[in-house]
Amino acid sequence: TALVMGGAITGALGLTVKAAAEGQAKMASLHATLASMGQDTPKVTDSILKAADAAVKLGFDNEDAALSITKFFQRTKDVNTALSLNKTAMDLARAKNIDLATASNLVNQALSGNGRVLSAYGISIKEAATPLEALGQLQEVVGGQSDAFSKTFEGQLQIFNASSQQLMQTIGAQLLPILTQLIEKISPWITKLMEWIELHPKLTQGIVLGVA
């Protein structure tokens, strides 16, 4: 029983570290994008992250929401516009049961004048519509879908999952520095072991056969 519990705890800790590492990578991408724009400032970052955390209450991963907002900000150069576009993307994601990244890409294409891509999802945009008109038509079709979805049982499950993921990332973030230091200490020994194995292939084969 103790071994089973120990294994479960170890597995759970592994999941938290994995979640934290993935979240860290997404945040690094976010900061790199903002830095390339000269906009990696506390004011901009706080606005994006605050909105991203609010997206968890609608069942979206906060890092995914932050990346979506950042891409819209990169396009529009205005945080408030980016937040509005991300809201439309979240509504589209819930209306058509697609992930936020796909929905964000579709909204961006509509803004580029390629509203026809939405026809594959059953949304008709007038041929002569300007990008802003296409966006307006899209908002008329999907507006309010993310809020409505959050009130359903499936929506509550998504919110629970997103909240749990956020908690795992928070816990895992506390472990990452410790594991990073451990890896830094172990890496030189692993390198030396690999070098020794390359210099003594026959001896290594004998050890392996003896163990087998």
Side-chain angles (χ1 to χ4, degrees):
T1 303
L3 287 175
V4 173
M5 290 180 63
I9 292 173
T10 301
L13 289 175
L15 289 176
T16 63
V17 171
K18 182 175 183 294
E22 291 175 349
Q24 188 181 67
K26 290 178 181 178
M27 286 300 97
S29 176
L30 180 151
H31 285 294
T33 299
L34 293 178
S36 70
M37 300 169 61
Q39 294 287 343
D40 194 9
T41 64
K43 182 178 180 180
V44 171
T45 303
D46 288 348
S47 295
I48 292 174
L49 295 183
K50 184 178 179 180
D53 286 341
V56 173
K57 296 178 181 179
L58 296 174
F60 293 97
D61 178 84
N62 58 334
E63 275 91 12
D64 289 343
L67 287 177
S68 175
I69 296 168
T70 301
K71 288 180 180 178
F72 286 128
F73 177 58
Q74 187 178 30
R75 181 189 183 103
T76 64
K77 309 298 187 294
D78 182 81
V79 173
N80 290 328
T81 302
L83 296 179
S84 177
L85 290 172
N86 184 66
K87 182 64 169 66
T88 299
M90 291 193 295
D91 284 337
L92 176 59
R94 292 312 188 203
K96 298 304 175 182
N97 194 29
I98 56 180
D99 60 77
L100 183 57
T102 299
S104 298
N105 182 52
L106 289 170
V107 172
N108 264 317
Q109 289 194 59
L111 283 173
S112 297
N114 188 20
R116 288 174 297 180
V117 296
L118 293 168
S119 62
Y121 296 89
I123 300 175
S124 298
I125 301 297
K126 294 179 181 178
E127 285 285 336
T130 65
L132 287 179
E133 288 172 342
L135 179 63
Q137 291 175 35
L138 174 60
Q139 290 171 331
E140 287 180 6
V141 174
V142 302
Q145 290 291 325
S146 55
D147 288 318
F149 179 81
S150 70
K151 295 176 175 61
T152 66
F153 179 72
E154 178 62 24
Q156 290 297 309
L157 286 178
Q158 292 292 335
I159 292 170
F160 175 78
N161 290 335
S163 299
S164 298
Q165 183 74 4
Q166 193 174 27
L167 176 60
M168 289 173 63
Q169 290 171 349
T170 301
I171 296 172
Q174 303 301 313
L175 298 174
L176 283 180
I178 300 172
L179 291 176
T180 299
Q181 292 178 2
L182 181 62
I183 291 172
E184 289 176 350
K185 291 180 179 179
I186 293 176
S187 291
W189 291 99
I190 294 177
T191 300
K192 289 181 180 180
L193 177 60
M194 294 302 297
E195 291 174 350
W196 187 89
I197 290 174
E198 290 178 359
L199 292 173
H200 305 84
K202 292 184 178 180
L203 181 58
T204 304
Q205 292 173 5
I207 294 174
V208 172
L209 291 173
V211 172

